[in-house]
């Protein structure tokens, strides 16, 4: 029965088109859209900033010096009177104008509300956005120093200690830092995430060719012939599930391999990646048992499977990373697609079987729970 | 075929008091019959009479709400996996895979029925010959004509030499040539000792193929027997078909009042009458119909047949 189904799926080309060609095309398109950021090829042009610094203290000049000495782009700061900043910025085609108030340092050090006005140039582009972000970040650092000093003062710390803390906070170098690791971080490059995400997303569609194919067989009339044959319903369901699982494993393996070759992504140890693929295919296949129980027709099954695939795929980070907190974060951690991508991140960083134990457990647990849940649901669909 | 001969046949299928409800609607109501080895048994009735539901229960596709089914000496239910091996089911829909070749379809369903190796290969070849598709065995069935698909559909049911072959309206939508070919194939099965359960709403097929026939309507068997036994139920009445146009309604009303006319049924294109002594009543019937405003284009006297029986038993034409 399995061989028969696989032969048909290959002949009708539906699997090849939908499970291989479409995701590969999507990967290519997404890579073209987002790939530039990942490669670091975006170049920033030299920028000109028109600024007023009537600040009586030192922080105004410090901010402008920080802007001028940015390592990621060449910035020239021209100082003018506050009233001329807007006009000069527009007249000279500068990228940004900054108006620092006279009481800038006093306001920062006293923790008072402060407004720094920026003027975007007529030719504002990526450089202007970067400069605004930098100014915003510097202002936050200055505020952090003030807040730290204030907190230390309330706590009764000596003045020399307070000064050191404030300086440290303002400099943006916290005592504890997170360094981006490899094996433990579970982070894929953007290209790697796209390849893994699309493979995971389309796996959810591919496995639908298995169990959900029973609904199509019912509409085509062949299910009655299967049911009238001397085989148990369990055999029929198991054969269909195995078809979905095999197609899922093959399609995901091909997608990861093709993605690796075409987009220059490495996912690490093939053996560990294979374990992840087997586990995520099992999880995806188990979902089809539930869908098959709940729907009444092949059309309903396709719609339901598409909804489930898009929901789990997007939530799992198939298109872009999704962040959440609290219960929602826990729920999203249990998403097999998210676990799959996380597992591939670990293997890409050199992780072994022990390192991917958690993602594997999540995917296999998901498969077990879904299969069990499907047995408890009333059968509105296939009744094989 | 006489009733006496029937009683000496080994029983293959025994159905007793079969009942099936869908919601509040009773689609099969206390149906009982039996089929012996080498016998072709027909379920004759209009669409919606309950034929396919009976077949679904006999095949173990759906459970019966009441009653029992015994096949080859064992109880048949949807869980009777082993017993299902005695059945060859030919569903009304084309139950074949379009992306597989005719031979691959046969091989697949043959393996499902437990055939393997040389036996499977041998039977596949035999069946391809029988259904006239040996020269097209390697073609995908999606390229086949409707008649070829129908023949393959039947061939799959025959492949494992079932004790009971169930044919559910096997000639629906088939061209006359293929239909004749299918009927000839079915005629040959009884000689091989196979029991056949045949459902149809075509009276001619039931008369041609079936040793015994059950006339079924609204889920109940109205009468059962050989063709001769069933025709006797009409009391020797004839059927007269009047074709034409004009005021057929008024003609029907007038004809119902005519002595000797038992029943009048019809529509705008014609009327069907059941009468005693058709040839004798023909002249007054034509005169009465013409007088009521019906313009006759043709008149036909039909001696009692199964359609007459159905009309006699249910008060409506089989085509309804």
């Amino acid at each position: 029965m399995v061989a028969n189904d696989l032969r048909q799926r290959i002949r009708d080309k539906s699997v090849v088109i939908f499970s291989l060609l479409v995701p590969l095309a999507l990967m290519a398109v997404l890579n073209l859209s987002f790939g530039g950021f990942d490669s670091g090829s975006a170049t920033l042009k030299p920028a000109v900033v028109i600024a007023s610094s009537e600040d009586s203290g030192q922080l105004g000049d410090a901010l402008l010096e920080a802007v001028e000495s940015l390592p990621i782009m060449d910035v020239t700061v021209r100082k003018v009177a506050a009233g001329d900043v807007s006009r000069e910025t527009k007249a000279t085609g500068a990228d940004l104008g900054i108006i620092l108030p006279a009481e800038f340092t006093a306001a920062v050090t006293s923790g008072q509300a402060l407004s720094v006005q920026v003027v975007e140039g007529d030719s504002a582009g990526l450089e202007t956005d970067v400069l605004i972000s930098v100014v915003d970040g510097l202002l936050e650092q200055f505020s952090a120093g003030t807040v730290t000093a204030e907190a230390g003062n309330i706590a009764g710390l000596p003045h020399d200690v307070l000064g050191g803390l404030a300086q440290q906070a303002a400099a943006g170098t916290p005592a504890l830092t997170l360094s981006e690791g490899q094996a433990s971080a579970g982070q894929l490059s953007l290209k790697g995430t796209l390849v893994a995400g699309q493979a995971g997303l389309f796996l959810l569609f591919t496995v639908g060719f298995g169990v959900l194919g029973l609904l199509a067989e019912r509409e085509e009339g062949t299910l009655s012939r299967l049911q009238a044959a001397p085989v148990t319903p369990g055999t029929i369901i198991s054969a269909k599930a195995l078809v979905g699982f095999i197609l899922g494993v093959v399609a995901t393996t091909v997608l990861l391999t093709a993605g690796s070759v075409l987009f220059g992504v490495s996912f690490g140890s093939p053996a560990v990646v294979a374990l992840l693929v087997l586990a995520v295919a099992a999880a995806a296949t188990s979902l089809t048992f539930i869908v098959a129980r709940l729907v009444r027709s092949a059309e309903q099954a396709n719609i339901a499977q598409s909804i489930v695939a898009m929901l789990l795929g997007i939530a799992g980070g198939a298109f872009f990373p999704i962040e959440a907190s609290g219960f929602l974060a826990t729920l999203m951690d249990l998403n097999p697609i998210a676990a799959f991508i996380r597992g591939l991140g670990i293997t890409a960083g050199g992780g072994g079987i022990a390192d991917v134990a958690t993602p594997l457990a999540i995917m296999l647990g998901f498969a077990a729970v879904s299969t069990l849940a499907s047995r408890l649901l009333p059968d509105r669909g296939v009744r094989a | 075929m006489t009733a006496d001969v029937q009683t000496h046949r080994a029983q293959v299928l025994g159905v007793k008091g079969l009942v099936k409800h869908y919601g509040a609607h009773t689609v099969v109501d206390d149906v009982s019959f039996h089929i012996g080895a080498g016998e072709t048994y027909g379920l004759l009735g209009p669409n919606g009479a309950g034929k396919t539901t009976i077949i679904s229960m006999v095949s173990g596709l759906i459970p019966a709400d009441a009653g029992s089914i015994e096949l080859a000496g064992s109880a048949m239910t949807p869980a009777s996996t082993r017993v299902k091996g005695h059945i060859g089911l030919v569903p009304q829909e084309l139950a074949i895979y379009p992306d597989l070749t005719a031979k691959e379809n046969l091989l697949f369903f043959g393996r499902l029925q437990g055939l393997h190796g040389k036996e499977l290969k041998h039977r596949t070849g035999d069946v391809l010959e029988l259904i006239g598709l040996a020269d097209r065995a390697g073609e995908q069935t999606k390229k086949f004509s409707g008649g070829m698909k129908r023949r393959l559909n039947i061939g799959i049911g025959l492949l494992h030499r079932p004790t009971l072959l169930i044919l559910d309206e096997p000639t629906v939508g088939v061209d006359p040539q293929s239909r004749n070919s299918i009927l000839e194939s079915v005629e040959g099965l009884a000689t091989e000792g196979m029991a056949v359960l045949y459902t149809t709403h075509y009276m001619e097929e039931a008369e041609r193929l079936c040793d015994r026939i059950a006339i079924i309507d609204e889920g109940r068997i109205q009468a059962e027997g050989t063709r001769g036994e069933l025709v006797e139920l009409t009391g020797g009445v004839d059927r007269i078909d009047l074709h034409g146009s004009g005021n057929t309604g008024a003609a029907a009303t007038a004809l119902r009042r005519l002595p000797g006319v038992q029943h009048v049924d019809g529509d705008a294109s014609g009327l069907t009458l059941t009468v005693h002594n058709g040839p004798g009543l023909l002249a007054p019937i034509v005169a009465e119909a013409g007088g009521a405003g019906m313009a006759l284009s043709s008149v036909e006297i039909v001696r009692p047949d199964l359609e007459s029986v159905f009309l006699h038993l249910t008060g409506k034409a089989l085509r309804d």
Side-chain angles (χ1 to χ4, degrees):
Chain A
M1 206 181 296
V2 174
N4 183 59
D5 264 28
L6 290 173
R7 185 182 291 124
Q8 288 183 81
R9 296 288 82 79
I10 291 167
R11 284 207 184 140
D12 71 13
K13 299 180 180 67
S14 51
V15 170
V16 175
I17 292 169
F18 204 69
S19 302
L20 296 175
L21 296 183
V22 172
L24 278 174
L26 203 54
M27 277 181 203
V29 170
L30 291 173
N31 186 53
L32 284 174
S33 303
F34 302 130
F37 293 104
D38 196 37
S39 64
S41 62
T43 53
L44 295 169
K45 291 180 288 190
V48 175
V49 174
I50 307 296
S52 74
S53 179
E54 296 168 354
D55 182 22
S56 53
Q58 298 174 339
L59 290 181
D61 284 339
L63 185 140
L64 294 178
E65 281 172 23
V67 169
E68 197 161 22
S69 59
L70 280 179
I72 58 170
M73 61 194 291
D74 291 330
V75 181
T76 304
V77 177
R78 278 181 50 216
K79 292 183 181 175
V80 297
D84 297 334
V85 169
S86 181
R87 183 177 50 78
E88 278 290 309
T89 302
K90 293 188 185 301
T92 61
D95 296 279
L96 188 71
I98 303 173
I99 303 171
L100 293 172
E103 66 283 10
F104 180 71
T105 299
V108 168
T109 53
S110 62
Q112 292 172 2
L114 172 73
S115 174
V116 174
Q117 192 180 348
V118 293
V119 180
E120 290 190 28
D122 287 342
S123 57
L126 181 60
E127 290 75 15
T128 304
D129 292 337
V130 170
L131 287 168
I132 291 173
S133 298
V134 166
V135 172
D136 196 38
L138 288 168
L139 290 174
E140 281 187 13
Q141 282 187 339
F142 288 161
S143 298
T146 304
V147 170
T148 304
E150 188 62 26
N153 192 29
I154 291 168
L157 292 176
H159 281 280
D160 56 336
V161 176
L162 281 179
L165 278 175
Q167 200 171 17
Q168 195 177 50
T173 52
L176 294 174
T177 59
L178 281 176
S179 61
E180 189 173 332
Q182 291 291 311
S184 62
Q187 292 293 316
L188 283 168
S189 64
L190 183 57
K191 283 182 179 177
T193 304
L194 284 177
V195 173
Q198 295 305 304
L201 172 68
F202 278 88
L203 166 68
L204 293 167
F205 289 105
T206 304
V207 293
F209 287 106
V211 174
L212 301 182
L214 278 173
L215 290 155
E217 292 225 31
R218 186 174 63 181
E219 288 174 11
E220 289 164 5
T222 44
L223 182 62
S224 61
R225 201 157 233 159
L226 297 180
Q227 290 173 320
V231 291
T232 61
T235 305
I236 298 172
I237 292 275
S238 301
K240 293 290 178 185
L242 189 57
V243 168
F245 179 76
I246 291 171
L247 289 174
V249 168
V250 171
T252 307
T253 304
V254 171
L255 286 179
L256 290 181
T257 307
S260 300
V261 173
L262 295 175
F263 306 113
V265 179
S266 171
F267 290 111
S269 164
V272 187
V273 171
L275 278 180
L276 291 170
V277 171
L278 290 172
V280 76
T285 304
S286 70
L287 264 179
T288 62
F289 292 133
I290 293 178
V291 175
R293 285 252 168 185
L294 296 177
V295 299
R296 291 184 188 275
S297 66
E299 189 180 3
Q300 282 184 5
N302 288 332
I303 293 169
Q305 187 70 8
S306 299
I307 292 170
V308 169
M310 294 308 289
L311 200 65
L312 287 181
I314 291 173
F319 292 99
F320 40 80
I322 301 284
E323 289 183 10
S325 57
F327 173 72
L328 200 58
T330 307
L331 203 62
M332 287 171 68
D333 280 346
L334 297 176
N335 180 342
I337 303 304
F340 178 59
I341 295 173
R342 214 160 43 244
L344 287 175
I346 294 169
T347 57
I353 293 177
D355 298 310
V356 295
T358 303
L360 279 176
I362 288 173
M363 290 185 277
L364 295 176
F366 186 94
V369 170
S370 295
T371 305
L372 186 65
S374 72
R375 303 313 302 168
L376 301 175
L377 289 170
D379 191 354
R380 301 172 67 226
V382 177
R383 291 187 178 88
Chain B
M1 196 69 59
T2 67
D4 287 337
V5 174
Q6 297 297 323
T7 56
H8 291 95
R9 284 177 164 156
Q11 180 176 299
V12 170
L13 176 70
V15 173
K16 285 181 186 169
L18 214 54
V19 175
K20 185 70 185 177
H21 305 285
Y22 285 124
H25 185 49
T26 302
V27 289
V28 175
D29 189 4
D30 194 23
V31 166
S32 300
F33 62 93
H34 67 275
I35 307 177
E39 183 183 16
T40 300
Y41 185 88
L43 288 176
L44 177 67
N47 292 327
K51 304 187 297 293
T52 299
T53 307
I54 292 171
I55 276 185
S56 296
M57 288 186 281
V58 170
S59 307
L61 301 180
I62 57 172
D65 292 333
S68 66
I69 302 163
E70 189 180 285
L71 176 62
S74 301
M76 176 58 138
T77 69
S80 309
T81 304
R82 186 186 54 78
V83 185
K84 287 179 180 176
H86 290 289
I87 285 181
L89 175 65
V90 181
Q92 189 171 338
E93 309 93 30
L94 289 167
I96 56 177
Y97 294 110
D99 288 307
L100 298 185
T101 66
K103 188 176 180 180
E104 286 169 343
N105 267 287
L106 288 167
L107 289 171
F108 169 67
F109 286 110
R111 286 191 196 97
L112 215 58
Q113 293 290 348
L115 299 177
H116 296 287
K118 284 183 180 174
E119 187 188 12
L120 176 61
K121 192 177 171 184
H122 182 69
R123 281 298 298 156
T124 300
D126 283 353
V127 169
L128 283 168
E129 288 290 342
L130 178 73
I131 59 179
L133 291 176
D135 56 338
R136 309 286 295 272
E139 283 184 36
Q140 286 182 310
T141 59
K142 63 186 173 190
K143 297 171 186 169
F144 282 8
S145 68
M148 291 161 73
K149 289 176 183 172
R150 280 276 163 204
R151 280 184 275 153
L152 178 61
N153 200 34
I154 293 172
I156 292 169
L158 292 170
L159 191 64
H160 60 295
R161 297 183 195 278
T163 313
L164 173 67
L165 179 69
I166 299 175
L167 295 151
D168 189 9
E169 303 266 12
T171 60
V172 168
V174 174
D175 61 275
Q177 193 180 353
S178 293
R179 187 180 182 190
N180 195 50
S181 169
I182 288 169
L183 296 182
E184 283 176 1
S185 302
V186 176
E187 280 175 322
L189 297 174
T191 60
E192 297 178 16
M194 195 178 288
V196 179
L197 175 55
Y198 192 99
T199 78
T200 183
H201 64 276
Y202 295 126
M203 174 201 70
E204 306 84 2
E205 290 183 9
E207 288 192 330
R208 175 174 167 180
L209 297 174
C210 300
D211 299 306
R212 287 186 302 133
I213 301 157
I215 290 183
I216 186 164
D217 188 45
E218 296 180 354
R220 294 185 69 91
I221 290 182
Q222 307 291 332
E224 184 200 52
T226 62
R227 182 193 179 282
E229 289 167 348
L230 290 171
V231 167
E232 281 179 19
L233 295 174
T234 64
V237 296
D238 295 327
R239 198 180 86 218
I240 296 180
D241 291 336
L242 303 179
H243 300 284
S245 56
N247 198 345
T248 54
T253 305
L255 289 168
R256 283 191 187 101
R257 289 196 292 263
L258 201 65
V261 173
Q262 281 194 336
H263 186 86
V264 181
D265 186 39
D267 53 31
S269 63
L271 299 173
T272 298
L273 292 76
T274 49
V275 300
H276 283 291
N277 186 15
L281 273 178
L282 190 58
I285 284 172
V286 169
E288 199 71 28
M294 182 176 179
L296 292 170
S297 57
S298 68
V299 177
E300 186 182 7
I301 299 178
V302 183
R303 305 302 294 182
D305 58 13
L306 291 177
E307 187 142 0
S308 310
V309 177
F310 192 85
L311 190 65
H312 173 77
L313 292 171
T314 67
K316 55 191 177 187
L318 190 54
R319 63 176 177 271
D320 296 335

